[in-house]
């Protein structure tokens, strides 16, 4: 276990892998030439400040988060990354001869004359990829990018972390995790975030089962169940209890009565969510199944969401029956977890992606469509569920983000693949079960040779779906894409023209990806797409007649479909909490904090002109203390003192209800947000007119552009001297 880090340290200390070092020398020169401009090529304008060279920064602690493990870790046979010798470094077009190619290119005096530029390959640090390593390697090879399996002294373009943002300290480039995502998708936090949205938009958020947080809401749970039972004695509900930090079905059980919750000892130590159990799932061959869908959060600000066109369906291994006291413990009947069902004698491994206990979701849809199901409607309901869920998660994520990567400090940009677990009800309504921050990207599965002895064998269905997701995520995040496009304009234009992004001309399902063996993935680097479509052979050579291969032209169309901002118009009205989070962040004050102090809260009230004769500042202070104290005791979060976002939202709801009594809740809240934003924009304007650069007292929303940041910096509440304009106003008022 300790071998890999030790090796890695040795490699870093001495000469790194020969080929890697050779490449680095060339790459370093090249990077100098190219500057860091390329790193912004993925189209995230506000991030340029974070691409400064790494400065000394206090190493980010890597807290041992319960539940922060990569999904599927529990039974993982850990492997050290293959050594450099096993993985000869390859340049983009050189097929194993990066140095000579890179050098000859550098030395070529005719470079400027013939206009030939060598676009360096994108570099990926895979040293922390853990169980996604196999799929990542295949993806990098298909893209002809450069992998650094032991890390790299120089910055890489992309860092692939298996578990969390904090897996290593990074100050530039892109990392495949957002800070705080693991916390955000834990069962309790997710339930809280969705509940806020359910309060605001009950109809829109009825895709998440009603949930209670244990132990805090045990009494409430029991009381509410009793109330419904009193109303309707024929109601025989079932509930599912899920430990907050659990995964892979660990610790989950079904109950018929609130009194059946296992209180003995564990609940205090292991908080949980109790949730309505969906008793009527859609069945195929009498079996319950769920859907694992991969969702790429490409950017938080602006919000960009992609959904993979294919996912996995995981089947139970015992025919389903609605829950009765006798079958409540039949896990193979009620829980679809692969990690559980694989241990059932009835688990079916299949060589086909459309049969067996784990299949592609597209094969399930195909089957449903053959039975007359409107699968377009199913898809659009699923996409809507995904967008709404991400909208529920982003406000707090922004708070985490600005805390870990404060505006103006060097840091990476983030993206993340999320695993959405969805259940289809008998009436085809999709239900969100949970979101995984670290969905398993393993492309092999275990086979039990004899009791207790397992071997790993390639899993075709996993490989087909997961490699496409990772590869296409990388393609979407490609920081050098613009540069490459400018070098191969004809190729890219042709490609775009013929196979626009997301087109179905070459569906990924058609592409038979290699099995695990890297040898086969190397074969795949060759004329893969040409097999699919003969016209692609034209794309593989540039219009100037030179044979510079364009890897993109050889790949199938991107399997990730943009759903946001594409459907922004339909969903933007739901983003109220997001706007509240922007207000919250603006008044946070000290960089790196996640909680609002009493002064920040008072300033918020004052600047938004919310105090009045009926809401004195003393009442504001009491409101702050009251709500903050309750939330801090509830979340047992002792990291910072102060008001967390959830508490701020509660206070905001309270203020909105007071001010706009007659409206429905979401309109009350929307009206108050409008009012706050209006007063703050007036303040911003005044400060801009003033043109004074005061000291930073209030932070700009982290997401703002450089101009907005300057404007907000001018705001410096409480610390900037009043501008003459303001003074003259008050003088007029006084006189
Ligand atoms: P874990 O993270 O431990 O996998 P999940 O929330 O995914 O926890 O639940 C495990 C399994 O239990 C799901 O895959 C699903 O089959 C079943 N399940 C979870 N919640 C519900 C529910 N509300 N109704 C019906 N089945 C559920």
């Amino acid at each position: 276990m300790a071998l890999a880090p030790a090796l890695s340290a040795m490699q870093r200390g001495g000469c790194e892998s020969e080929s890697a070092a050779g490449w680095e020398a060339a790459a370093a020169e090249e990077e100098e030439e190219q500057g860091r401009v390329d790193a912004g090529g993925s189209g995230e304008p506000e991030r340029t400040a974070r691409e400064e060279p790494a400065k000394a920064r206090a190493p980010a602690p890597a807290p041992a988060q319960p539940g922060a493990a990569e999904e599927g870790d529990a039974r993982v046979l850990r492997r050290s990354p293959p050594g450099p010798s096993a993985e000869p470094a390859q340049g983009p077009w050189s097929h194993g001869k990066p140095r000579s190619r890179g050098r000859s290119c550098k030395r070529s005096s005719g470079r400027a004359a013939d206009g030939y530029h060598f676009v360096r390959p994108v570099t990926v640090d895979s040293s922390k990829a853990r169980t996604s390593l196999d799929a990542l390697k295949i993806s990098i090879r298909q893209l002809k990018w450069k992998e650094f399996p032991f890390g790299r002294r120089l910055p890489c373009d992309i860092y692939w972390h298996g578990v969390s943002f904090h897996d290593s300290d990074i100050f530039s480039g892109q990392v495949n995790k957002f800070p705080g995502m693991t916390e955000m998708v834990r069962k309790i936090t997710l339930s809280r975030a969705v509940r806020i949205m359910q309060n605001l938009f009950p109809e829109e958020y009825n895709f998440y089962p009603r949930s209670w947080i244990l132990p805090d809401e045990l009494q409430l749970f029991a009381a509410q169940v009793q109330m419904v039972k009193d109303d309707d004695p024929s109601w025989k509900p079932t509930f599912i209890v899920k430990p907050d930090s659990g995964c892979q079905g660990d610790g989950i059980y079904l109950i018929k009565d609130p009194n059946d919750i296992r209180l003995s000892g564990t609940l205090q130590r292991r908080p949980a969510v109790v949730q309505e159990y969906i008793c009527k799932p859609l069945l195929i061959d009498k079996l319950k199944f769920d859907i694992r869908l991969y969702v790429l959060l490409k950017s938080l600000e602006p919000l960009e969401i992609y959904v993979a066109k294919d996912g996995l369906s995981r089947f139970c291994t015992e025919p389903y029956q609605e829950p009765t006291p006798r079958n409540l413990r039949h896990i193979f009947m009620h829980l679809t977890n692969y990690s559980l069902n694989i241990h059932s004698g009835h688990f079916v491994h299949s060589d086909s992606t459309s049969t067996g206990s784990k299949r592609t979701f597209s094969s399930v849809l195909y089957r449903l469509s053959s039975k007359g199901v409107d699968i377009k409607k199913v898809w659009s309901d699923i996409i809507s569920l995904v967008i709404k869920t991400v909208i529920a998660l982003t406000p707090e994520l922004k708070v985490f983000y600005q805390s870990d990567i404060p505006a103006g400090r060097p840091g990476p940009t983030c993206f993340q693949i999320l695993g959405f677990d969805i259940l289809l009800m008998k009436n085809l309504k999709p239900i969100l079960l949970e979101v995984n921050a670290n969905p398993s990207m393993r492309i092999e599965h275990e086979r039990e040779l004899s009791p207790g002895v397992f071997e790993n064998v390639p899993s075709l269905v996993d490989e087909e779906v997961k490699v496409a997701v990772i590869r296409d995520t990388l393609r979407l995040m490609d920081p050098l894409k613009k540069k490459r496009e400018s070098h191969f304009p004809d190729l890219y234009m042709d490609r775009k023209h013929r196979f626009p992004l997301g087109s179905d001309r070459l569906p990924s399902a058609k592409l038979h990806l290699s099995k695990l063996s890297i040898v086969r993935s190397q074969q795949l680097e060759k004329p893969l797409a040409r097999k699919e479509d003969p016209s692609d052979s034209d794309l593989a050579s540039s219009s100037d007649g030179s044979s510079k291969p364009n890897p993109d032209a050889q790949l199938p169309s991107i399997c990730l479909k943009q759903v946001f901002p594409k459907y922004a118009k339909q969903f933007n009205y739901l983003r109220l909490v997001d706007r509240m989070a922007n207000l919250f962040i603006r008044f946070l004050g000290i960089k790196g904090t996640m909680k609002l102090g009493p002064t920040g809260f008072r300033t918020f009230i004052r600047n938004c002109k919310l105090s009045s004769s009926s809401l004195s500042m003393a009442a504001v202070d009491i409101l702050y203390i009251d709500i903050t104290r309750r939330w801090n005791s509830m979340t047992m979060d002792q990291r910072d003192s102060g008001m967390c976002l959830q508490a701020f939202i509660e206070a905001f709801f309270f203020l909105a209800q007071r001010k706009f009594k007659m409206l429905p809740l979401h309109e009350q809240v929307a009206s108050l947000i409008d009012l706050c934003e209006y007063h703050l924009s007036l303040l911003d304007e005044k400060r801009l007119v003033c043109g004074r650069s005061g000291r930073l007292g209030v932070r700009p929303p982290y997401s703002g552009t450089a101009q907005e940041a300057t404007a907000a910096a001018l705001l410096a509440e409480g610390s900037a001297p009043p501008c003459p304009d303001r003074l003259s106003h008050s003088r007029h008022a006084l006189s």
Side-chain angles (χ1 to χ4, degrees), residues 43-60:
E44 288 176 294
E46 88 278 15
R47 313 283 205 234
T48 40
R50 294 179 197 131
E51 312 231 334
E52 292 163 19
K55 284 180 204 156
R57 183 178 165 195

PDB file of all heavy atoms in Angstrom, residues 43-60:
ATOM      1  N   GLY A  43     -12.971  28.021 -21.985  1.00  0.00           N
ATOM      2  CA  GLY A  43     -14.066  28.958 -22.000  1.00  0.00           C
ATOM      3  C   GLY A  43     -14.581  29.340 -20.634  1.00  0.00           C
ATOM      4  O   GLY A  43     -15.767  29.462 -20.422  1.00  0.00           O
ATOM      5  N   GLU A  44     -13.695  29.490 -19.662  1.00  0.00           N
ATOM      6  CA  GLU A  44     -14.137  29.946 -18.348  1.00  0.00           C
ATOM      7  C   GLU A  44     -13.426  31.242 -18.045  1.00  0.00           C
ATOM      8  O   GLU A  44     -12.368  31.265 -17.440  1.00  0.00           O
ATOM      9  CB  GLU A  44     -13.839  28.890 -17.288  1.00  0.00           C
ATOM     10  CG  GLU A  44     -14.762  27.723 -17.428  1.00  0.00           C
ATOM     11  CD  GLU A  44     -14.413  26.640 -16.465  1.00  0.00           C
ATOM     12  OE1 GLU A  44     -13.355  26.057 -16.595  1.00  0.00           O
ATOM     13  OE2 GLU A  44     -15.217  26.393 -15.574  1.00  0.00           O
ATOM     14  N   PRO A  45     -14.015  32.352 -18.485  1.00  0.00           N
ATOM     15  CA  PRO A  45     -13.290  33.610 -18.504  1.00  0.00           C
ATOM     16  C   PRO A  45     -12.832  34.097 -17.147  1.00  0.00           C
ATOM     17  O   PRO A  45     -11.754  34.642 -17.029  1.00  0.00           O
ATOM     18  CB  PRO A  45     -14.294  34.591 -19.116  1.00  0.00           C
ATOM     19  CG  PRO A  45     -15.625  33.932 -18.986  1.00  0.00           C
ATOM     20  CD  PRO A  45     -15.359  32.463 -18.991  1.00  0.00           C
ATOM     21  N   GLU A  46     -13.626  33.860 -16.113  1.00  0.00           N
ATOM     22  CA  GLU A  46     -13.282  34.515 -14.853  1.00  0.00           C
ATOM     23  C   GLU A  46     -12.134  33.857 -14.129  1.00  0.00           C
ATOM     24  O   GLU A  46     -11.714  34.300 -13.092  1.00  0.00           O
ATOM     25  CB  GLU A  46     -14.510  34.576 -13.929  1.00  0.00           C
ATOM     26  CG  GLU A  46     -14.715  33.395 -13.035  1.00  0.00           C
ATOM     27  CD  GLU A  46     -15.397  32.257 -13.744  1.00  0.00           C
ATOM     28  OE1 GLU A  46     -15.472  32.266 -14.990  1.00  0.00           O
ATOM     29  OE2 GLU A  46     -15.860  31.351 -13.045  1.00  0.00           O
ATOM     30  N   ARG A  47     -11.628  32.769 -14.671  1.00  0.00           N
ATOM     31  CA  ARG A  47     -10.634  32.014 -13.926  1.00  0.00           C
ATOM     32  C   ARG A  47      -9.198  32.489 -14.140  1.00  0.00           C
ATOM     33  O   ARG A  47      -8.302  31.967 -13.542  1.00  0.00           O
ATOM     34  CB  ARG A  47     -10.671  30.539 -14.331  1.00  0.00           C
ATOM     35  CG  ARG A  47     -12.043  29.959 -14.371  1.00  0.00           C
ATOM     36  CD  ARG A  47     -12.520  29.672 -12.962  1.00  0.00           C
ATOM     37  NE  ARG A  47     -13.494  28.645 -12.986  1.00  0.00           N
ATOM     38  CZ  ARG A  47     -14.698  28.742 -12.446  1.00  0.00           C
ATOM     39  NH1 ARG A  47     -15.047  29.831 -11.821  1.00  0.00           N
ATOM     40  NH2 ARG A  47     -15.532  27.750 -12.506  1.00  0.00           N
ATOM     41  N   THR A  48      -8.977  33.460 -14.991  1.00  0.00           N
ATOM     42  CA  THR A  48      -7.602  33.774 -15.330  1.00  0.00           C
ATOM     43  C   THR A  48      -6.745  34.120 -14.118  1.00  0.00           C
ATOM     44  O   THR A  48      -5.594  33.750 -14.049  1.00  0.00           O
ATOM     45  CB  THR A  48      -7.536  34.935 -16.338  1.00  0.00           C
ATOM     46  OG1 THR A  48      -8.516  35.871 -15.944  1.00  0.00           O
ATOM     47  CG2 THR A  48      -7.759  34.460 -17.754  1.00  0.00           C
ATOM     48  N   ALA A  49      -7.351  34.790 -13.152  1.00  0.00           N
ATOM     49  CA  ALA A  49      -6.579  35.179 -11.976  1.00  0.00           C
ATOM     50  C   ALA A  49      -6.006  33.979 -11.259  1.00  0.00           C
ATOM     51  O   ALA A  49      -4.964  34.038 -10.647  1.00  0.00           O
ATOM     52  CB  ALA A  49      -7.463  35.957 -11.016  1.00  0.00           C
ATOM     53  N   ARG A  50      -6.716  32.863 -11.353  1.00  0.00           N
ATOM     54  CA  ARG A  50      -6.279  31.683 -10.614  1.00  0.00           C
ATOM     55  C   ARG A  50      -5.205  30.926 -11.344  1.00  0.00           C
ATOM     56  O   ARG A  50      -4.716  29.928 -10.884  1.00  0.00           O
ATOM     57  CB  ARG A  50      -7.468  30.770 -10.383  1.00  0.00           C
ATOM     58  CG  ARG A  50      -8.434  31.418  -9.480  1.00  0.00           C
ATOM     59  CD  ARG A  50      -9.599  30.534  -9.281  1.00  0.00           C
ATOM     60  NE  ARG A  50     -10.649  31.366  -8.740  1.00  0.00           N
ATOM     61  CZ  ARG A  50     -11.864  31.388  -9.202  1.00  0.00           C
ATOM     62  NH1 ARG A  50     -12.206  30.599 -10.176  1.00  0.00           N
ATOM     63  NH2 ARG A  50     -12.745  32.190  -8.677  1.00  0.00           N
ATOM     64  N   GLU A  51      -4.859  31.356 -12.498  1.00  0.00           N
ATOM     65  CA  GLU A  51      -3.862  30.625 -13.262  1.00  0.00           C
ATOM     66  C   GLU A  51      -2.484  31.237 -13.103  1.00  0.00           C
ATOM     67  O   GLU A  51      -1.583  30.966 -13.865  1.00  0.00           O
ATOM     68  CB  GLU A  51      -4.287  30.585 -14.723  1.00  0.00           C
ATOM     69  CG  GLU A  51      -5.734  30.168 -14.822  1.00  0.00           C
ATOM     70  CD  GLU A  51      -5.955  29.045 -15.772  1.00  0.00           C
ATOM     71  OE1 GLU A  51      -5.145  28.926 -16.680  1.00  0.00           O
ATOM     72  OE2 GLU A  51      -6.913  28.292 -15.594  1.00  0.00           O
ATOM     73  N   GLU A  52      -2.367  32.113 -12.088  1.00  0.00           N
ATOM     74  CA  GLU A  52      -1.048  32.644 -11.796  1.00  0.00           C
ATOM     75  C   GLU A  52      -0.162  31.501 -11.370  1.00  0.00           C
ATOM     76  O   GLU A  52      -0.628  30.474 -10.924  1.00  0.00           O
ATOM     77  CB  GLU A  52      -1.138  33.608 -10.602  1.00  0.00           C
ATOM     78  CG  GLU A  52      -1.898  34.859 -10.898  1.00  0.00           C
ATOM     79  CD  GLU A  52      -2.300  35.538  -9.599  1.00  0.00           C
ATOM     80  OE1 GLU A  52      -1.685  35.232  -8.558  1.00  0.00           O
ATOM     81  OE2 GLU A  52      -3.218  36.354  -9.646  1.00  0.00           O
ATOM     82  N   PRO A  53       1.169  31.721 -11.439  1.00  0.00           N
ATOM     83  CA  PRO A  53       2.042  30.667 -10.949  1.00  0.00           C
ATOM     84  C   PRO A  53       1.755  30.381  -9.492  1.00  0.00           C
ATOM     85  O   PRO A  53       1.330  31.270  -8.748  1.00  0.00           O
ATOM     86  CB  PRO A  53       3.446  31.242 -11.122  1.00  0.00           C
ATOM     87  CG  PRO A  53       3.294  32.582 -11.721  1.00  0.00           C
ATOM     88  CD  PRO A  53       1.858  32.876 -11.944  1.00  0.00           C
ATOM     89  N   ALA A  54       2.012  29.145  -9.122  1.00  0.00           N
ATOM     90  CA  ALA A  54       1.706  28.744  -7.758  1.00  0.00           C
ATOM     91  C   ALA A  54       2.484  29.563  -6.750  1.00  0.00           C
ATOM     92  O   ALA A  54       3.673  29.723  -6.849  1.00  0.00           O
ATOM     93  CB  ALA A  54       2.029  27.275  -7.591  1.00  0.00           C
ATOM     94  N   LYS A  55       1.756  30.116  -5.780  1.00  0.00           N
ATOM     95  CA  LYS A  55       2.422  30.815  -4.684  1.00  0.00           C
ATOM     96  C   LYS A  55       2.357  29.908  -3.482  1.00  0.00           C
ATOM     97  O   LYS A  55       1.569  28.988  -3.428  1.00  0.00           O
ATOM     98  CB  LYS A  55       1.658  32.098  -4.369  1.00  0.00           C
ATOM     99  CG  LYS A  55       1.887  33.197  -5.378  1.00  0.00           C
ATOM    100  CD  LYS A  55       1.070  34.405  -4.941  1.00  0.00           C
ATOM    101  CE  LYS A  55       0.773  35.303  -6.130  1.00  0.00           C
ATOM    102  NZ  LYS A  55      -0.394  36.113  -5.905  1.00  0.00           N
ATOM    103  N   ALA A  56       3.189  30.264  -2.503  1.00  0.00           N
ATOM    104  CA  ALA A  56       3.126  29.453  -1.281  1.00  0.00           C
ATOM    105  C   ALA A  56       1.756  29.641  -0.676  1.00  0.00           C
ATOM    106  O   ALA A  56       1.271  30.743  -0.530  1.00  0.00           O
ATOM    107  CB  ALA A  56       4.198  29.926  -0.317  1.00  0.00           C
ATOM    108  N   ARG A  57       1.112  28.579  -0.390  1.00  0.00           N
ATOM    109  CA  ARG A  57      -0.220  28.647   0.208  1.00  0.00           C
ATOM    110  C   ARG A  57      -0.281  27.571   1.254  1.00  0.00           C
ATOM    111  O   ARG A  57       0.248  26.496   1.075  1.00  0.00           O
ATOM    112  CB  ARG A  57      -1.240  28.387  -0.902  1.00  0.00           C
ATOM    113  CG  ARG A  57      -2.657  28.491  -0.491  1.00  0.00           C
ATOM    114  CD  ARG A  57      -3.483  28.243  -1.720  1.00  0.00           C
ATOM    115  NE  ARG A  57      -4.853  27.973  -1.353  1.00  0.00           N
ATOM    116  CZ  ARG A  57      -5.725  27.443  -2.184  1.00  0.00           C
ATOM    117  NH1 ARG A  57      -5.377  27.130  -3.406  1.00  0.00           N
ATOM    118  NH2 ARG A  57      -6.936  27.225  -1.789  1.00  0.00           N
ATOM    119  N   ALA A  58      -0.923  27.907   2.353  1.00  0.00           N
ATOM    120  CA  ALA A  58      -0.995  26.912   3.420  1.00  0.00           C
ATOM    121  C   ALA A  58      -1.580  25.636   2.843  1.00  0.00           C
ATOM    122  O   ALA A  58      -2.604  25.680   2.178  1.00  0.00           O
ATOM    123  CB  ALA A  58      -1.887  27.427   4.530  1.00  0.00           C
ATOM    124  N   PRO A  59      -0.893  24.518   3.056  1.00  0.00           N
ATOM    125  CA  PRO A  59      -1.413  23.295   2.463  1.00  0.00           C
ATOM    126  C   PRO A  59      -2.825  23.022   2.954  1.00  0.00           C
ATOM    127  O   PRO A  59      -3.101  23.101   4.151  1.00  0.00           O
ATOM    128  CB  PRO A  59      -0.445  22.204   2.935  1.00  0.00           C
ATOM    129  CG  PRO A  59       0.382  22.815   4.002  1.00  0.00           C
ATOM    130  CD  PRO A  59       0.289  24.306   3.859  1.00  0.00           C
ATOM    131  N   ALA A  60      -3.691  22.776   2.011  1.00  0.00           N
ATOM    132  CA  ALA A  60      -5.078  22.521   2.379  1.00  0.00           C
ATOM    133  C   ALA A  60      -5.156  21.221   3.146  1.00  0.00           C
ATOM    134  O   ALA A  60      -4.591  20.225   2.731  1.00  0.00           O
ATOM    135  CB  ALA A  60      -5.934  22.451   1.128  1.00  0.00           C
TER     136      ALA A  60
END
